[in-house]
Amino acid sequence: MANKITIYDIADALNISPATVSRSLNDHPSISSKTKERVVVHAKKVGYRINKFAANLSHQKSNTIGVIVPKLNSYFMSTVLSGIEKIANDHGYNLIISQSFESENKEKLNAKTLFESGVDALMVSLAFETITYDHFEAYREQSIPLLFFDRVQQFKNCPTIVIDNLQAGFDATEHLIQQGCNNILHVCGNLKRNVYLDRFEGYKKALRKYGLKYERPNLLETNLDLNDGKVFLEHLKISKKKFDGIFVSNDTMAVACMRSLLKRGVKIPEEIKIVGFNNDPISEIISPNLSTIDYPGFKMGKLAGQSIISHLKGNINIQSAETILLNHQLIIRESSLKK
Amino acid sequence: MANKITIYDIADALNISPATVSRSLNDHPSISSKTKERVVVHAKKVGYRINKFAANLSHQKSNTIGVIVPKLNSYFMSTVLSGIEKIANDHGYNLIISQSFESENKEKLNAKTLFESGVDALMVSLAFETITYDHFEAYREQSIPLLFFDRVQQFKNCPTIVIDNLQAGFDATEHLIQQGCNNILHVCGNLKRNVYLDRFEGYKKALRKYGLKYERPNLLETNLDLNDGKVFLEHLKISKKKFDGIFVSNDTMAVACMRSLLKRGVKIPEEIKIVGFNNDPISEIISPNLSTIDYPGFKMGKLAGQSIISHLKGNINIQSAETILLNHQLIIRESSLKK
DNA sequence: TATTTATTCGCAATCGGTTGCATGGATACT
DNA sequence: AGTATCCATGCAACCGATTGCGAATAAATA
């Protein structure tokens, strides 16, 4: 049968008050260890399980952290989530994960739902589309910890976990230049998002440093999707420039480009050198191996988790570190090497 | 300021009872549309947000579905989760996702936590290790819908979403045989799990059909991890058999095997043919392209979600379909083709 | 023994919605 | 006009745990 045991049942059975039962179960100091023992033993015997609804209602917290990501089925994102989940779980928090599918609207809906669900904190990686941020106001009003990771937006008192995308973009581009490229195409994602904008800036900075000029046809903005290969080919066709290097803002798209090129008989790296971003497993598998930027997803997730948790526990010492910058690493493989 | 508006505040402001406010907000039929209008408008004006804790406590449901998976950062699993999340979200349910990291203990803990969190349903893909199932008893006692997907265990009244792993294993193996292999190694995962056991059975069935004999050295049980390549090579060494075909129970491991072999100068498919499982993106990227079994993750997730939702909504018609069998598809690529 | 000081524990309010039942008033019917 | 019917709303209990404050008992001190 359904065993709906409440603290009242236990109280009756033991001839004590529900208050005492509650305190015993929570190991409150003002209860004698004798009574505690009795309560705990009896509770276990009858299979008592706390009713979180009631507990939550009382102290107005849910031990739950909300997460909104663009989509969870990417290598990078699922790795980050894995890291977040691990930390959250280790600290007794549950994770409610929702996807925005790159839509600002969905993101707003998710933010609202999670707010109403009473999450104790919210972690967000922004959608491509998002340009207004009022859906986070409710959180800030109630001072519910809010954190952005990867695709971020700066707010005061709101930690941010990122890598130095500008520097990474610079590193990738500089590497291509050093390998002899002087007409480099940059394939980026939505420039409204910091990650892509910063990488683009890094790209331009590298060009400037080496006295190369940047022109509009050197930039291709896409969804970075595996089947954006056609868009890429199309771009090659209309911009009549002859590129000798490509810096792509993620590996998935880099692979799409490589495949398009290889299919056309273009030799990589001899004719065109390529660098991707993310260090997805495919980057190491594809032939030629793809040079890329390693981007520590699991670590980012763990840090994000730790940051939020310490906010929740009121450790103010983290406050100072509003922005955590993770190290990236340029991984040089065949796809970009001068032969 | 923190705007903690309750229905009582609204009731006071409008000189009506909280009951009426509650009913208005829930569009209860016995409230005049005039009052409803007043309430809704005023609620929006003052920024009222329902307190789910209280609501949950009242009707004893959370609009939340729990999910336990071995780990969420695999292509297949994150795809399934994406499907589940989509359906759940479309129907107003939140998803609490947790990982067992292949540990039975962690799985039990997660099950307990989710139970106490008051999830309305639980969806599970089992850990490698799991051999006892008492952690699901609490759910069954309270008749909280429970569903298994992919890595499943049969319980009565408990839906199950799988592909026909036996048939898939058979298909893969038969294909290898038809390509001329007659000494086929099977690299599998933990045989306690249905998916791997069934694929193994399918493998043996195919051997039987073609009069090939199965011997112990033809089987290698691993964690199917990308860096299990050494284990694989080790096995090749000790079992002195000369394999001409390999059926691997997932693509990640298949890729690990291929790389080990290619590094040793073994020609694929000329000397050894390989078939994997999952149709991960890497299978199409690696050279030679990996033949594999396509396994519809997103669809599985959506079906799992739909099944649970209809249970929750009390549509009994699904009851009949306790086991949903998804179609798989053998995808033949270079790695297994007779030249 | 009387009084102070801890210890343990219970009372009762509280968290914020939900809902069965009762009530008062409006409308309909004979 | 008198009675039956309906509609809209309010009353109050309830969901189950938490917690400030006070009381009762036990232990310590004078």
Side-chain angles (χ1 to χ4, degrees), chain A residues 257-299:
Chain A
C257 295
M258 285 177 72
R259 299 178 76 187
S260 301
L261 290 173
L262 292 171
K263 205 170 291 172
R264 307 238 145 188
V266 178
K267 295 215 176 64
I268 303 172
E270 290 81 352
E271 301 176 48
I272 295 191
K273 306 189 200 317
I274 299 193
V275 176
F277 212 107
N278 272 23
N279 197 19
D280 275 4
I282 43 169
S283 66
E284 207 189 348
I285 300 293
I286 194 168
S287 171
N289 286 180
L290 176 63
S291 296
T292 189
I293 301 284
D294 183 49
Y295 194 175
F298 194 72
K299 188 172 178 189

Side-chain angles (χ1 to χ4, degrees), chain B residues 16-17 19-20 23 30-32 35 57 60:
Chain B
I16 54 181
S17 80
T20 303
R23 290 195 175 97
S30 80
I31 300 288
S32 74
T35 349
L57 177 58
Q60 298 290 335

Side-chain angles (χ1 to χ4, degrees), chain A residues 192-244:
Chain A
K192 286 201 286 273
R193 284 281 72 78
N194 66 304
V195 288
Y196 305 119
L197 183 59
D198 290 352
R199 291 169 199 174
F200 175 45
E201 295 296 343
Y203 158 81
K204 284 193 294 188
K205 182 174 167 192
L207 293 191
R208 273 199 305 279
K209 173 170 174 188
Y210 290 89
L212 299 175
K213 70 166 182 285
Y214 162 72
E215 298 173 323
R216 196 61 237 296
N218 285 71
L219 181 68
L220 171 61
E221 192 170 341
T222 72
N223 289 321
L224 297 179
D225 201 84
L226 189 51
N227 42 40
D228 276 342
K230 343 181 223 325
V231 186
F232 167 69
L233 282 180
E234 193 61 26
H235 182 79
L236 286 194
K237 214 170 295 170
I238 37 179
S239 70
K240 289 142 206 144
K241 305 191 74 169
K242 181 89 176 91
F243 301 110
D244 53 7

Side-chain angles (χ1 to χ4, degrees), chain B residues 15-83:
Chain B
N15 263 319
I16 54 181
S17 80
T20 303
V21 176
S22 171
R23 290 195 175 97
S24 298
L25 261 14
N26 292 314
D27 203 26
H28 189 98
S30 80
I31 300 288
S32 74
S33 45
K34 197 159 7 124
T35 349
K36 271 183 198 164
E37 178 71 6
R38 285 211 308 149
V39 171
V40 171
V41 166
H42 185 261
K44 172 155 288 178
K45 198 181 77 186
V46 297
Y48 167 79
R49 305 217 180 210
I50 194 177
N51 182 324
K52 284 266 176 73
F53 298 149
N56 290 344
L57 177 58
S58 268
H59 44 40
Q60 298 290 335
K61 65 190 294 286
S62 62
N63 274 292
T64 286
I65 297 173
V67 184
I68 305 177
V69 298
K71 57 177 197 169
L72 58 81
N73 56 328
S74 86
Y75 170 76
F76 172 70
M77 197 49 84
S78 61
T79 305
V80 176
L81 287 174
S82 179

